[in-house]
Amino acid sequence: MYLFICTGNYYRSRFAEYYFNFRAEQLQLPARAFSRGLEAAAARNTGPVSVHTINYLASLQIPQPAWTYPVQLLEADFDQADKVIALDDTEHRPKILRDFPHRLNQVEFWQFPDVQFAEPADILPAIRQQIDQLLAHAL
């Protein structure tokens, strides 16, 4: 089980979770993913998922679920995951150190900044490519 973490569980981690699961199913791999947010409980976002995520999945012609609202990262989530990936080292490492310092060695940090620092049109395809590479190693 793969765990994707971002700040709000609204944009990057939700895309990573859904795209990973879609592709793993297509490739007939048993691996699955879920996602959580380091500050999802703050409820700063509108609706259950980012319009950037929705639009990019639609552009890939990937059917979308009835989206649920973001979920806060909890201690137990680490125990459910075989691999934990935080989507931006700069943003997420300090938050992991703040809230889960004893879990830091479990987390792989990627480099995909949030929407205020980089364009979703650049970030989402880059996350897609990283997940495709991750899945290729699982074959």
Side-chain angles (χ1 to χ4, degrees):
M1 184 70 74
Y2 288 74
L3 167 59
F4 291 101
I5 300 170
C6 71
T7 302
N9 191 224
Y10 182 70
Y11 159 53
R12 295 165 291 172
S13 63
R14 296 299 286 284
F15 172 76
E17 172 191 6
Y18 197 69
Y19 182 74
F20 182 99
N21 287 335
F22 176 79
R23 289 292 296 141
E25 189 173 316
Q26 277 189 323
L27 296 167
Q28 299 179 341
L29 296 171
R32 291 297 178 263
F34 66 109
S35 65
R36 298 291 187 259
L38 288 157
E39 296 176 355
R44 293 185 290 240
N45 299 307
T46 304
V49 69
S50 167
V51 67
H52 302 298
T53 297
I54 292 168
N55 290 343
Y56 187 58
L57 288 169
S59 77
L60 298 173
Q61 298 182 340
I62 295 175
Q64 296 178 45
W67 292 104
T68 59
Y69 278 81
V71 178
Q72 179 67 36
L73 179 67
L74 302 173
E75 184 75 29
D77 295 321
F78 288 94
D79 295 330
Q80 292 180 40
D82 300 307
K83 186 170 186 78
V84 179
I85 299 167
L87 289 162
D88 184 27
D89 190 351
T90 303
E91 180 182 1
H92 300 139
R93 185 179 296 270
K95 294 173 192 320
I96 296 283
L97 283 169
R98 176 192 70 200
D99 298 337
F100 304 99
H102 56 289
R103 298 291 192 162
L104 185 65
N105 64 340
Q106 282 182 258
V107 182
E108 178 180 328
F109 291 92
W110 288 358
Q111 302 292 335
F112 301 112
D114 209 347
V115 68
Q116 65 267 37
F117 303 109
E119 289 296 319
D122 297 326
I123 293 302
L124 292 173
I127 293 172
R128 176 185 174 202
Q129 182 178 24
Q130 189 79 25
I131 289 170
D132 286 340
Q133 290 173 8
L134 191 65
L135 290 167
H137 292 332
L139 290 173

